[in-house]
Amino acid sequence: MMDFDLVIVGGGLVGSSLACALRHSGLRVGVVEAVAANAPSHPSYDERVLALSLGSRRIFGGIGLWDAMRADAEPIRQVHVSERGQFGFARLAADEEGVEALGYVTPARSIGQALEACLRDATDTVEVMRPARLVGLRQQPDGWNIEISVAGSSRLLRTALLVAADGGDSALRRRLGLAVHEQAYGYDAIITTVTPGRPRPGVAFERFTDSGPLAMLPMTGGRWSVVWTARDSDTAGLLALDDTAFLQALQQRFGHRLGRLARPGRRIAYPLRLLLAKQLTGPRLALIGNAAHTLHPVAGQGFNLGLRDVAELADLLADTRRTGQDPGGHAVLAGYRQRRRQDQANVAALTDGLARLFTNPLPTLRLGRNLGLLGLDLLPPARHALARRFMGIGGRLPRLARGLPLDGGQATHAADDSARITQTAS
């Protein structure tokens, strides 16, 4: 029987981020991951890029990983929002908010590589068990007894806290019978990259169309990542197009703000859905990341929301070592539930509302949302409030979200950003 303070089921981007955040906390952390260490790539470290918010950059800075992924991260200095064929538009700008960038477009693979390197260096406090499969669970008054199969051999674990970080189809959440609110949108996200003829470095576009948002995100090397929301009935046809026909369809959808689009990359499609766990915690159990919430990709909030889960839970757990509290006790779980529930609900409502509002064809709604975009562009207080929401820096922030390491070391330069933002807002 191996003893841990917490066992994280799921070693993807969110689960590994929590393990790395706690590597200097003095807690003994176990990670149970289904993918082998020598696998060509982790399924969550795929070809996607992630629009990391300023708050997420700070979290990775506090964990000590931002420098490892910085070279592949393209800053977003302006966001241009519009509706195809309509008059409304709005712009958010980093210089108005007093920051270097509103966010950073970063390949998931680069984030995964930084996390893997961290885990390799943290073997004194973090044990990663893979390829592993959960075989049995038994709840005890002081924790959980877990049986896993690792490369065909059975191992028994004991932990004070169990963390579900195994994605939207969480096997652990289903095994424990935790209810969710789930709704399919009937749309897919088609992901690819293109190279524009007239690049605008640092500018991201969110263009709403009759089938949903089309995002164009700047990447390093002069490329742009495409996140095209399409009706699921149209997905197969779009994937089957040759490169020339696909570029023509994309150009007609997006327009010519970046000139002529060329050199499309490999296309991948993901079904879109809304999923919210009705319970964030259970007896000595916490849900984080997509296991707790899976969102529409509009405004790129899903992974950033999961990292804020990591920051809050890591903050609470790091203090248990100093204060002698139980890592799986009521204080930690109640604190996590209280700190995270409202943010999760607000972001889910925002992304779901935007996705539905901008696909509604009613003329009165179309007029109203375009007037709303113009009003947003003309009203600085409204722009600041929306920018802070999307940057993930509103309200009370845990240490990692302020760029502060959990072990009390030196802060990253995120503290300077905080001062500038405060001055701008005032």
Side-chain angles (χ1 to χ4, degrees):
M1 182 75 75
M2 299 180 62
D3 283 314
F4 294 95
D5 294 297
L6 69 149
V7 167
I8 304 165
V9 177
L13 297 179
V14 169
S16 294
S17 294
L18 179 60
C20 288
L22 293 170
R23 70 192 185 281
H24 299 312
S25 66
L27 298 172
R28 180 70 175 154
V29 181
V31 179
V32 177
E33 170 52 44
V35 178
N38 58 356
S41 65
H42 193 286
S44 70
Y45 305 172
D46 57 20
E47 297 302 325
R48 292 172 302 161
V49 296
L50 297 168
L52 297 181
S53 66
L54 175 60
S56 292
R57 190 215 74 185
R58 290 182 181 178
I59 291 169
F60 279 129
I63 296 174
L65 299 182
W66 176 246
D67 286 343
M69 58 186 80
R70 182 198 297 268
D72 294 324
E74 178 72 13
I76 299 174
R77 295 193 169 90
Q78 187 180 111
V79 177
H80 187 283
V81 185
S82 63
E83 182 171 4
R84 179 172 176 259
Q86 301 299 318
F87 61 87
F89 68 91
R91 294 160 296 187
L92 304 177
D95 56 2
E96 280 194 351
E97 305 305 323
V99 295
E100 175 191 285
L102 299 169
Y104 297 80
V105 180
T106 311
R109 188 178 301 279
S110 297
I111 301 172
Q113 289 169 350
L115 290 167
E116 287 289 342
C118 167
L119 294 176
R120 287 195 299 270
D121 292 339
T123 53
D124 288 346
T125 55
V126 179
E127 177 156 357
V128 183
M129 293 156 277
R130 58 186 176 187
R133 178 173 57 88
L134 190 65
V135 175
L137 275 175
R138 178 174 295 177
Q139 186 181 346
Q140 303 291 341
D142 60 348
W144 291 88
N145 288 350
I146 307 168
E147 182 183 359
I148 63 172
S149 175
V150 185
S153 299
S154 179
R155 293 176 69 175
L156 299 178
L157 318 176
R158 182 165 51 214
T159 182
L161 175 66
L162 188 58
V163 179
D166 51 342
D169 293 318
S170 170
L172 179 57
R173 189 191 62 222
R174 291 199 308 268
R175 188 182 190 112
L176 295 175
L178 299 179
V180 298
H181 167 75
E182 184 173 10
Q183 184 170 342
Y185 283 108
Y187 293 85
D188 294 328
I190 299 174
I191 314 295
T192 189
T193 59
V194 294
T195 300
R198 194 168 64 246
R200 296 172 63 182
V203 181
F205 296 88
E206 188 87 63
R207 186 157 171 76
F208 289 97
T209 76
D210 58 359
S211 67
L214 170 61
M216 299 283 282
L217 307 174
M219 300 172 62
T220 57
R223 298 169 298 158
W224 257 253
S225 173
V226 179
V227 185
W228 180 351
T229 303
R231 295 178 181 86
D232 53 11
S233 57
D234 297 333
T235 300
L238 289 170
L239 294 178
L241 293 174
D242 63 29
D243 286 352
T244 300
F246 178 79
L247 285 173
Q248 288 175 348
L250 177 61
Q251 192 90 62
Q252 192 263 344
R253 256 306 133 165
F254 176 69
H256 290 80
R257 287 185 174 86
L258 291 170
R260 184 168 296 281
L261 306 177
R263 298 171 59 189
R266 184 168 70 101
R267 282 165 253 163
I268 313 170
Y270 295 91
L272 301 181
R273 60 176 171 163
L274 172 67
L275 182 147
L276 288 174
K278 294 184 178 180
Q279 295 174 249
L280 267 185
T281 63
R284 296 187 171 275
L285 171 75
L287 276 61
I288 64 173
N290 282 353
H293 43 76
T294 300
L295 308 180
H296 194 287
V298 62
Q301 293 298 296
F303 180 63
N304 295 301
L305 190 64
L307 274 186
R308 296 203 290 276
D309 295 344
V310 167
E312 289 285 11
L313 187 56
D315 203 58
L316 290 160
L317 287 170
D319 284 343
T320 64
R321 188 71 174 180
R322 177 177 54 83
T323 61
Q325 288 180 301
D326 181 352
H330 173 76
V332 170
L333 294 172
Y336 175 68
R337 192 167 57 243
Q338 178 182 1
R339 294 182 186 184
R340 294 305 303 139
R341 176 57 81 185
Q342 194 61 52
D343 185 26
Q344 292 176 2
N346 288 345
V347 174
L350 175 64
T351 56
D352 183 62
L354 285 173
R356 296 181 189 282
L357 174 65
F358 278 90
T359 53
N360 193 310
L362 287 176
T364 52
L365 278 178
R366 184 183 299 128
L367 176 62
R369 64 195 179 221
N370 278 271
L371 289 174
L373 285 174
L374 282 179
L376 179 66
D377 194 64
L378 295 171
L379 295 172
R383 287 201 308 277
H384 293 322
L386 186 64
R388 291 179 68 86
R389 163 63 67 182
F390 287 157
M391 288 191 291
I393 57 173
R396 189 204 64 81
L397 298 175
R399 282 168 287 184
L400 290 177
R402 287 177 278 143
L404 302 173
L406 296 177
D407 60 5
Q410 293 298 310
T412 70
H413 57 282
D416 297 332
D417 287 340
S418 297
R420 289 197 297 270
I421 291 169
T422 301
Q423 290 174 349
T424 302
S426 61

